[in-house]
Amino acid sequence: MVYIQSLQQSTNIAKLPRAEGAAHNDWLHQHEDHCLQDTRVELRKQIMDWCEDLESKCIFWLNGMAGSGKSTIARTIARELAEKKRLAVSFFFTRGNKDISHSHMFFTTIATQLANSLPVLRASISDAIDNNPDIFQQGLREQWNQLILNPLKSAPTQSIQLVIVIDALDECDSMQDIQLILQLIAEAKNLETVRIKIFLTSRPEIPIFDGFRQLSGEAYQDFILHSIPLDTVNGDISTFFRQKLSPLKAKHGLGTPWPDEQIIEQLVERAAGLFIYAATTLRFIQDDIDGPEEQLSLILKTTQSSRSATEHLDGIYTTLLQHSVLGKRGDQQCEELARRFRQVVGSIVVMFNPMPARNLAQLLQIRFEIVSRTLDSLRSVLNVPENESQPVRLFHLSFRDFLQDPQRCSDPRFQIDETERHTSLFRKCMEHISQLRENMCNLWGPGVLITEIPDNTIQKSIPPHVQYACRYWFDHLRLGNPVEEHIKTIRQFLEQHFLHWLEGLSLIGEVSNGAQMIIALEEILSVSYNAY
């Protein structure tokens, strides 16, 4: 009987939608940096002391400007808590990554992880699903109450203190959801048996500040990352450069000392407190384009006129783009390489879900070799996995911000026009979904369940780039610049392939999103009918 109950609980909890890539130790984050042992020592101790203190406030908000190292600290804290069996949940928001760029699966993912980290909650979470079969479609407040807060309140009288780590809350795509999430998780301060604390990081954006202002002062404490004395931060960045550059010296047989004290000081000064500058500089020096000595010399030579922290970062981004993408080629060849950059990297910047390079080439309808060569030259700013089945991603959101801001990206050859890119991707998506047909998986009958269709059959019939087109063509239309030609294309598509598209959405489990697209599309088409 106990076994049957346990099996039923596991079956119910498995129904909860889980955001792929949310956890700190997910494969998506496997190559991300952690704090070196001798860096961020005082701050990490302060955070761990807060975790252990029974009287400390429920929420610890670590906020800081872009590139100041918040996510690295969050990954390090999550790992240390996991080693001590004190981590309940980790959720790392990442803008532009399908499941972890919004809040739709936030609480269902937290509930799933809680059930795994705290087995005493499994029965009550399972009961909540039995009693609310449509809980997955309900709002954040209902999900928080039914799947998390009530199970925690009804937990057996056992004094336990665990921590939830939430990173980059500002990268959730809805500011209203962000403020609601803050209101809800603050309710954890009233729990008695299972004490839950929340370690949260974000940029200091106004809507998040407003969200915290609405909370009781007893609910949270904050720490401003860039309030740490610059000497302390510089010491950590100096340690970073020394430890990371040392293996390069041995690998390339460089003389001693390399780099010398003066160069280390220059690198630290140019970082201006930004760890993202240090990390990007290191990756650029590690590139085997001209060797580490030449790469380092180029960095020091071309960024010396920068003044502020952002200008230093923009300077290194400009340097590596001009050097890695264009090199010393002629004007005509440079223009073609810059065009490819805007096409390939510009698409990565605005896409709603990252994809492997080969699938990206299929979506853009260009040769894989062109995409591969373009990406290979940009490993300082792009995470290009050796495993071709894994998606290509930006190392840091600051690179996207740089490319989309003409005031920061001073070389127009690399500026990404977000509206133009969305419009171009909309066209590509329409070309792909216009090739859909009836019964794409060659099913043997009309009553076949999705669960009965092998996944490889769906992947073969509707490859990843077509799946992306089915799911996101409308979003690219909405954020692009729709003109009469596009409206005519949509109407023709709906007349000829509407049912085929619904079939495709059903096969990839995206029918609910399709319904929302249809509702929003109706409004666009009605407006365009009057306009055209």
Side-chain angles (χ1 to χ4, degrees):
M1 184 66 180
V2 173
Y3 172 77
I4 294 176
Q5 288 179 336
S6 177
L7 183 62
Q8 181 60 46
Q9 290 170 11
S10 297
T11 301
N12 273 351
I13 292 170
K15 296 176 184 177
L16 289 171
R18 287 168 289 179
E20 181 180 348
H24 77 285
N25 57 351
D26 188 90
W27 65 267
L28 186 67
H29 309 294
Q30 60 185 320
H31 299 303
E32 303 286 0
D33 289 332
H34 291 77
C35 295
L36 298 176
Q37 183 176 356
D38 298 326
T39 62
R40 303 292 198 184
V41 175
E42 289 301 320
L43 175 58
R44 286 158 56 193
K45 181 180 184 304
Q46 180 177 343
I47 296 169
M48 295 304 291
D49 287 347
W50 163 80
C51 294
E52 299 291 340
D53 186 357
L54 295 176
E55 302 301 321
S56 61
K57 296 180 180 179
C58 176
I59 300 174
F60 189 112
W61 176 33
L62 180 69
N63 71 80
M65 62 190 297
S68 54
K70 300 181 297 298
S71 293
T72 302
I73 295 169
R75 280 190 295 272
T76 305
I77 293 298
R79 183 177 65 180
E80 292 179 3
L81 288 169
E83 291 171 351
K84 294 183 177 183
K85 309 297 183 185
R86 299 292 302 279
L87 180 69
V89 172
S90 59
F91 196 105
F92 280 58
F93 282 101
T94 306
R95 190 171 299 162
N97 276 34
K98 184 181 177 182
D99 294 344
I100 50 178
S101 64
H102 52 70
S103 64
H104 301 175
M105 302 184 198
F106 179 65
F107 284 131
T108 55
T109 301
I110 286 180
T112 301
Q113 292 188 33
L114 271 177
N116 293 329
S117 61
L118 204 57
V120 295
L121 299 180
R122 295 180 68 84
S124 51
I125 293 175
S126 175
D127 290 344
I129 298 171
D130 277 335
N131 297 331
N132 301 273
D134 62 343
I135 188 66
F136 319 134
Q137 307 301 324
Q138 294 179 11
L140 292 176
R141 185 177 298 279
E142 288 74 18
Q143 291 183 5
W144 163 257
N145 287 332
Q146 301 301 321
L147 295 174
I148 300 171
L149 189 62
N150 291 342
L152 286 169
K153 285 180 177 178
S154 61
T157 55
Q158 180 181 6
S159 181
I160 303 174
Q161 183 159 297
L162 297 173
V163 181
I164 294 175
V165 175
I166 303 172
D167 180 59
L169 182 61
D170 55 290
E171 294 189 29
C172 177
D173 61 11
S174 169
M175 285 300 169
Q176 288 183 317
D177 286 353
I178 287 174
Q179 293 187 342
L180 179 56
I181 286 171
L182 290 175
Q183 293 173 22
L184 296 174
I185 62 176
E187 296 175 3
K189 71 179 187 298
N190 298 318
L191 294 171
E192 296 179 356
T193 54
V194 179
R195 291 286 307 275
I196 292 292
K197 291 187 172 185
I198 298 98
F199 175 69
L200 185 152
T201 77
S202 78
R203 298 189 192 189
E205 297 185 351
I206 291 177
I208 297 180
F209 267 118
D210 290 343
F212 274 106
R213 288 193 189 103
Q214 296 173 24
L215 303 182
S216 164
E218 299 177 356
Y220 76 96
Q221 68 183 71
D222 62 355
F223 186 95
I224 302 172
L225 194 53
H226 47 270
S227 69
I228 297 176
L230 186 58
D231 287 347
T232 302
V233 179
N234 284 347
D236 288 342
I237 293 176
S238 177
T239 299
F240 173 86
F241 277 125
R242 293 173 194 279
Q243 291 193 21
K244 293 295 187 178
L245 290 175
S246 181
L248 280 181
K249 178 169 61 177
K251 176 182 177 181
H252 292 271
L254 302 176
T256 302
W258 184 91
D260 60 29
E261 288 300 316
Q262 183 179 2
I263 289 178
I264 291 289
E265 290 177 6
Q266 288 180 15
L267 290 173
V268 171
E269 180 182 357
R270 289 156 193 259
L274 291 184
F275 273 84
I276 185 58
Y277 176 95
T280 305
T281 296
L282 175 70
R283 287 192 293 267
F284 184 70
I285 295 172
Q286 288 173 330
D287 272 347
D288 291 329
I289 299 175
D290 292 321
E293 288 181 301
E294 290 77 7
Q295 299 284 94
L296 176 56
S297 176
L298 185 65
I299 286 292
L300 295 174
K301 180 175 65 176
T302 56
T303 62
Q304 58 189 356
S305 62
S306 298
R307 296 182 300 275
S308 70
T310 301
E311 286 175 325
H312 281 297
L313 186 59
D314 294 350
I316 192 173
Y317 282 150
T318 301
T319 296
L320 71 87
L321 288 178
Q322 292 175 343
H323 182 70
S324 301
V325 176
L326 306 181
K328 298 178 181 179
R329 299 174 177 89
D331 291 345
Q332 185 173 353
Q333 193 173 8
C334 283
E335 181 54 40
E336 175 59 20
L337 291 172
R339 186 192 65 80
R340 289 180 184 175
F341 170 86
R342 293 192 298 271
Q343 182 182 24
V344 175
V345 179
S347 297
I348 293 172
V349 162
V350 305
M351 285 174 64
F352 298 99
N353 195 30
M355 60 174 54
R358 192 170 296 277
N359 300 132
L360 177 62
Q362 292 170 320
L363 178 68
L364 298 178
Q365 296 175 317
I366 56 180
R367 292 185 4 248
F368 169 67
E369 291 75 14
I370 292 177
V371 172
S372 182
R373 285 199 299 270
T374 302
L375 298 178
D376 281 343
S377 66
L378 292 165
R379 292 179 181 270
S380 300
V381 287
L382 297 178
N383 185 348
V384 186
E386 295 299 327
N387 184 342
E388 289 188 2
S389 66
Q390 295 183 1
V392 178
R393 298 183 296 114
L394 304 179
F395 271 120
H396 198 267
L397 195 62
S398 61
F399 185 55
R400 173 187 295 171
D401 296 340
F402 164 77
L403 294 174
Q404 292 180 331
D405 187 346
Q407 299 301 315
R408 294 180 59 189
C409 184
S410 58
D411 191 331
R413 294 174 296 183
F414 301 114
Q415 293 172 6
I416 302 301
D417 184 328
E418 186 176 2
T419 301
E420 184 277 330
R421 273 290 90 210
H422 279 299
T423 302
S424 178
L425 283 169
F426 160 72
R427 294 195 196 99
K428 294 298 182 183
C429 288
M430 291 304 295
E431 290 179 24
H432 289 298
I433 60 177
S434 293
Q435 303 301 315
L436 298 175
R437 61 176 179 82
E438 183 179 355
N439 195 15
M440 287 167 280
C441 290
N442 298 316
L443 303 180
W444 51 93
V448 177
L449 298 176
I450 296 297
T451 53
E452 297 176 326
I453 307 172
D455 186 62
N456 61 346
T457 298
I458 296 176
Q459 294 295 322
K460 183 178 180 180
S461 303
I462 313 176
H465 67 285
V466 180
Q467 293 187 27
Y468 181 93
C470 286
R471 172 62 184 87
Y472 294 110
W473 68 266
F474 175 76
D475 295 291
H476 287 301
L477 170 72
R478 176 175 54 86
L479 294 173
N481 183 28
V483 295
E484 182 178 5
E485 174 192 354
H486 300 147
I487 302 302
K488 290 180 178 178
T489 300
I490 293 171
R491 286 174 175 158
Q492 183 178 5
F493 163 76
L494 293 176
E495 291 172 359
Q496 299 179 1
H497 298 287
F498 178 69
L499 293 179
H500 304 156
W501 173 55
L502 289 182
E503 179 184 335
L505 289 175
S506 176
L507 290 168
I508 64 175
E510 293 285 358
V511 169
S512 60
N513 286 314
Q516 295 173 9
M517 283 188 273
I518 292 170
I519 294 171
L521 181 62
E522 182 179 13
E523 181 178 351
I524 288 180
L525 291 179
S526 63
V527 171
S528 66
Y529 180 81
N530 295 326
Y532 302 128

